[in-house]
Amino acid sequence: SFGKLMSYLTYKARANGIAIQKVDEAYSTQTCPVCHNRKKHAGRNVLCACGYTSHRDIHGAKNILSKTLYGNFLPSAVAEQTKYLRPC
Ligand SMILES: [Zn+2]
């Protein structure tokens, strides 16, 4: 269950001096960080009409990081490197 996972993560993080912060993930996978257009994406890649592209998992993670640090979805300077275990 999610509660059990949070309890385990909190326990392990505290044991290593790491703070846990919950972040609302709403729209993190749908929102373009460049033009803030919302769209449900199908497939592995996020393609926005403004030209922004990203792998969907990296896109969501970068949006959550941006929301945590800056309070909004902003374009990230984090380099994106995707390595697939299986070819697309
Ligand atoms: Zn866009």
Side-chain angles (χ1 to χ4, degrees), residues 13-59:
R14 280 193 185 145
N16 290 287
I18 299 170
I20 295 285
Q21 179 181 356
K22 291 183 180 177
V23 178
D24 183 12
E25 65 177 350
Y27 306 112
S28 60
T29 57
Q30 298 176 16
T31 307
C32 173
V34 177
C35 68
H36 294 100
N37 187 29
R38 281 190 198 159
K39 179 184 173 190
K40 290 188 177 184
H41 301 278
R44 286 185 173 184
N45 296 311
V46 173
L47 307 169
C48 183
C50 73
Y52 170 83
T53 63
S54 179
H55 184 278
R56 71 174 178 203
D57 295 336
I58 295 171
H59 166 76

